[in-house]
Amino acid sequence: MIDVVHRPRKRLFLALILISLFLTIVSSYGLWVVSLPGLTNISSYLPLLLGTLLAAVILAAACGVTGILLAILGFRTPGIFQGLAWSAINLLFPIAICIGKLFDVDKERIERSFIEVSNHLIKQKNITVQPAKLLIMTPHCLQHETCPHKITRNVSNCHHCGQCQIGDLVTLANNYGVHLAVVTGGTLARKVIKSIRPHAVLAIACERDLTSGIQDVFPLPVIGVLNSRPFGPCCNTRVDLAKIEEAIQSFLTNTQ
């Protein structure tokens, strides 16, 4: 059985974010207009205060979205735009998901598009780290379901039997001198990151986990690689090892 995941298009996420920004602007203006009479009765300064606050939020979100668009088009953007871009994503992403539902766009398609945009933003920054500061993080479902060996505590317990790709990842991590961790969920992932304190993460997961994980650990740079699920979700998943090695090399360029 082959699980085919088509390469996501950045323009899907960008289109939804732009629509979300427009709706946010309209909603903010509507909120201000509706609140205007009541606020004026309380104090003549309150409408100006609320308007200034809403305008500041909208301006920051607009600058963030502009930063994303410029980065996608290949323009170098100042560091401040990176922070604003992620602030805009965190603000507008839930709205984008709702808009996607209205147009019957599958949530996983939106998440894949988001991951593609996120990877592009990270790669454009040309981040390089020492091998000891790079962490490869993979879900435990990559391990074969019948394997009796506990690897979430220590990946060295892998016996390299070839039934799954954990052994290949261990070999890859050892060859490049980077960290490798197998996690069972977000709590353990955060614990591993807190313990190792990497400067960059190469994460393998499904759309949902990658999307939430990338947002949770910001500003820590993360390159996300989607796994494939030939046997369904969370069971004997697979990953393209060539993509993993390519991502490792992009983080370690000029540090070898």
Side-chain angles (χ1 to χ4, degrees), residues 143-220:
Q143 181 183 26
H144 196 276
E145 61 178 344
T146 62
C147 183
H149 306 294
K150 183 75 172 179
I151 60 173
T152 53
R153 292 184 182 274
N154 186 358
V155 292
S156 297
N157 290 334
C158 175
H159 284 216
H160 297 261
C161 66
Q163 289 193 86
C164 68
Q165 294 177 298
I166 295 296
D168 296 322
L169 288 173
V170 171
T171 299
L172 203 57
N174 289 338
N175 287 344
Y176 284 96
V178 303
H179 295 280
L180 172 66
V182 179
V183 298
T184 54
T187 300
L188 181 56
R190 286 187 289 272
K191 183 178 180 181
V192 169
I193 288 176
K194 185 177 180 179
S195 174
I196 296 176
R197 296 185 180 280
H199 291 173
V201 176
L202 170 54
I204 304 166
C206 62
E207 290 87 349
R208 182 193 63 188
D209 290 346
L210 274 181
T211 298
S212 61
I214 289 170
Q215 294 177 349
D216 285 346
V217 302
F218 177 80
L220 184 65

Side-chain angles (χ1 to χ4, degrees), residues 81-97:
F81 277 99
Q82 292 286 340
L84 290 175
W86 282 104
S87 297
I89 287 172
N90 290 330
L91 174 67
L92 301 175
F93 188 79
I95 304 174
I97 293 294

Side-chain angles (χ1 to χ4, degrees), residues 214-229:
I214 289 170
Q215 294 177 349
D216 285 346
V217 302
F218 177 80
L220 184 65
V222 179
I223 290 291
V225 178
L226 287 168
N227 58 14
S228 60
R229 282 92 62 184

Side-chain angles (χ1 to χ4, degrees), residues 226-240:
L226 287 168
N227 58 14
S228 60
R229 282 92 62 184
F231 302 99
C234 303
C235 178
N236 298 336
T237 58
R238 307 284 294 177
V239 70
D240 187 336

Side-chain angles (χ1 to χ4, degrees), residues 96-137:
I97 293 294
C98 292
I99 295 171
K101 287 182 180 179
L102 290 176
F103 289 95
D104 199 28
V105 179
D106 186 70
K107 184 179 179 181
E108 286 190 352
R109 279 188 61 200
I110 301 173
E111 290 171 334
R112 287 197 294 270
S113 183
F114 160 75
I115 293 164
E116 188 76 4
V117 170
S118 174
N119 286 349
H120 184 93
L121 293 176
I122 296 300
K123 289 176 180 177
Q124 195 202 43
K125 295 175 70 175
N126 295 319
I127 297 169
T128 57
V129 299
Q130 295 296 324
K133 290 298 182 179
L134 177 60
L135 169 64
I136 303 175
M137 188 174 292

